[in-house]
Amino acid sequence: MRPAEVDRVTVEEAVDRYVELVRAKTVTGGLSVATGEVYARDVATFARLAGADRVLDDLSGEDVDAVLLAFARKPDERRSSPGGSLTQSAASQARFRRSVSAMFKHAALAGWVQLNPMAAATVTARERGGLRPQRRALTREQAEGLIGAARSPAAGEVSRRRDQRTEVRDALIVLLLTTLGPRVSELVRANVEDFYTNDGVRYWRIFGKGGRTRDVPLPRDVADALVEYLASRPSTVEKALLLSWRGRRLARGDVQAVIDRVQAKVDPEHRRAVTPHGLRHTTATHLLADGTDMDAVRRVLGHSDLTTLGRYRDELPGELEVAMRTHPLLREAMREARVGDADAADL
């Protein structure tokens, strides 16, 4: 539906207003600080590339395409090559497009544009080869190897402080990430008081994106690991569940360091680099592969709808062969064949 009257703001003014909205959402918990910073940076880049003095409503789909192409060709200072700076990766291009699209979606609702030009934009970026290996789900053997290494500390492994058993903490981190698939921001934000018991079942109240919360029951092994960790956690005024060896709340980068440290103890045959987000994919993939209800998996991960969940379901080696061997329309015939084979063997 078109607005009755368009507010012909410039690109610069629209971006400024949108950034104020984004910052307000980060203050109220509607957006994470990291996401807010990305949106603000991307739309500021959009303003420079599109022309700050142009009227936002005058931009067409072709204009947006030109900006997307200009961003794609823009050198990425974070990466370098022998011949100079590399251009933006496909992932960065896709992220930039999402940021710009979110701004125009708000612009259409606010009456800054009559029609959203993103609907006519055609430039898209594809991630070659799908997800990066670190973001893909681990296979069952790889995931079990990681969990096993976390729960069996190497001989002689000691913590840097006697009042903390960091190997117990590391095991809890790996178990929570692999079995519940929280966002890394949700994990480092967790406090001791967020875990409670109801009717003998231990729950984690997770404070997620958009100010939404979800209460997820812990598998028995994870609940036991939590109890063991809390028993070894030093008494401190710090509310954070996960503490560094200095007694401070863990940061996002610390979580990756924990995963890498545990991975180093995994049998090389079943070892593969993975990020916290890759473990989130692992949770979704194996729960769905085991026949868990899709809506239950959605609630565990904290997605608002099932369409988002589809992006977290990765392909597992051999899953098509297993599916065809146990096809639901042929199970009765297969059972009869097995009975016939058994009768023939008795003759």
Side-chain angles (χ1 to χ4, degrees):
M1 181 177 179
R2 297 188 181 188
E5 206 172 312
V6 174
D7 186 0
R8 289 180 61 79
V9 297
T10 64
V11 172
E12 183 177 30
E13 187 177 356
V15 165
D16 288 344
R17 291 187 192 179
Y18 181 69
V19 169
E20 286 182 10
L21 173 68
V22 167
R23 287 174 178 159
K25 285 188 175 182
T26 62
V27 171
T28 58
L31 283 175
S32 71
V33 174
T35 301
E37 289 175 352
V38 168
Y39 279 179
R41 185 176 67 245
D42 283 345
V43 296
T45 301
F46 175 82
R48 289 195 300 271
L49 296 175
D53 296 332
R54 297 186 66 182
V55 174
L56 189 69
D57 189 48
D58 290 343
L59 297 181
S60 65
E62 291 182 355
D63 293 324
V64 173
D65 277 344
V67 171
L68 295 177
L69 286 171
F71 177 81
R73 294 167 181 152
K74 183 174 172 287
D76 187 347
E77 290 79 12
R78 298 171 303 171
R79 305 186 301 157
S80 60
S81 66
S85 297
L86 296 172
T87 54
Q88 301 293 323
S89 68
S92 294
Q93 294 175 49
R95 186 213 66 233
F96 180 74
R97 194 182 202 281
R98 287 194 299 269
S99 297
V100 173
S101 181
M103 185 193 70
F104 271 112
K105 183 177 180 181
H106 174 73
L109 293 173
W112 302 343
V113 295
Q114 291 191 58
L115 294 174
N116 187 340
M118 296 302 296
T122 59
V123 174
T124 59
R126 291 185 179 180
E127 186 73 55
R128 290 186 180 180
L131 289 169
R132 296 192 300 275
Q134 294 85 353
R135 291 174 63 92
R136 286 203 319 267
L138 296 179
T139 65
R140 182 179 295 275
E141 292 76 14
Q142 291 167 344
E144 290 175 346
L146 181 64
I147 292 172
R151 299 175 71 179
S152 304
E157 183 177 351
V158 294
S159 302
R160 299 182 71 172
R161 276 179 53 166
R162 292 182 179 179
D163 62 347
Q164 284 196 43
R165 294 178 59 195
T166 51
E167 73 281 0
V168 178
R169 179 207 62 192
D170 293 355
L172 177 62
I173 289 173
V174 168
L175 282 168
L176 288 172
L177 286 171
T178 309
T179 61
L180 301 184
R183 300 174 179 91
V184 66
S185 58
E186 296 169 343
L187 181 66
V188 298
R189 200 163 51 226
N191 293 326
V192 173
E193 62 191 21
D194 299 338
F195 294 81
Y196 66 93
T197 302
N198 185 25
D199 289 337
V201 178
R202 198 79 176 220
Y203 287 83
W204 177 13
R205 176 158 293 169
I206 303 176
F207 293 85
K209 294 174 67 174
R212 294 187 294 269
T213 63
R214 61 190 188 277
D215 291 6
V216 181
L218 305 184
R220 182 178 297 276
D221 286 359
V222 181
D224 291 344
L226 174 66
V227 170
E228 184 180 5
Y229 168 68
L230 291 177
S232 66
R233 182 181 179 275
S235 298
T236 173
V237 295
E238 175 61 69
K239 298 187 298 183
L241 172 72
L242 302 172
L243 301 175
S244 70
W245 65 274
R246 288 190 171 90
R248 300 170 185 166
R249 184 184 292 271
L250 286 191
R252 298 165 64 104
D254 298 327
V255 175
Q256 183 64 62
V258 167
I259 295 172
D260 294 342
R261 185 161 58 246
V262 174
Q263 279 283 25
K265 299 183 292 184
V266 178
D267 182 341
E269 188 175 334
H270 295 144
R271 184 191 306 159
R272 204 202 76 207
V274 69
T275 62
H277 198 75
L279 294 180
R280 185 166 164 83
H281 277 263
T282 299
T283 299
T285 297
H286 289 284
L287 285 176
L288 291 171
D290 199 48
T292 306
D293 180 74
M294 288 185 67
D295 191 60
V297 180
R298 176 192 66 79
R299 290 160 58 196
V300 167
L301 295 183
H303 290 311
S304 57
D305 56 63
L306 290 174
T307 56
T308 307
L309 180 61
R311 297 203 300 267
Y312 286 78
R313 171 66 169 95
D314 295 340
E315 181 180 321
L316 291 172
E319 63 180 345
L320 293 182
E321 290 76 7
V322 172
M324 291 300 101
R325 282 201 302 269
T326 59
H327 199 292
L329 299 180
L330 300 175
R331 284 173 188 161
E332 188 62 35
M334 286 187 282
R335 277 195 294 269
E336 291 176 358
R338 283 197 294 270
V339 170
D341 291 342
D343 290 343
D346 291 337
L347 295 177

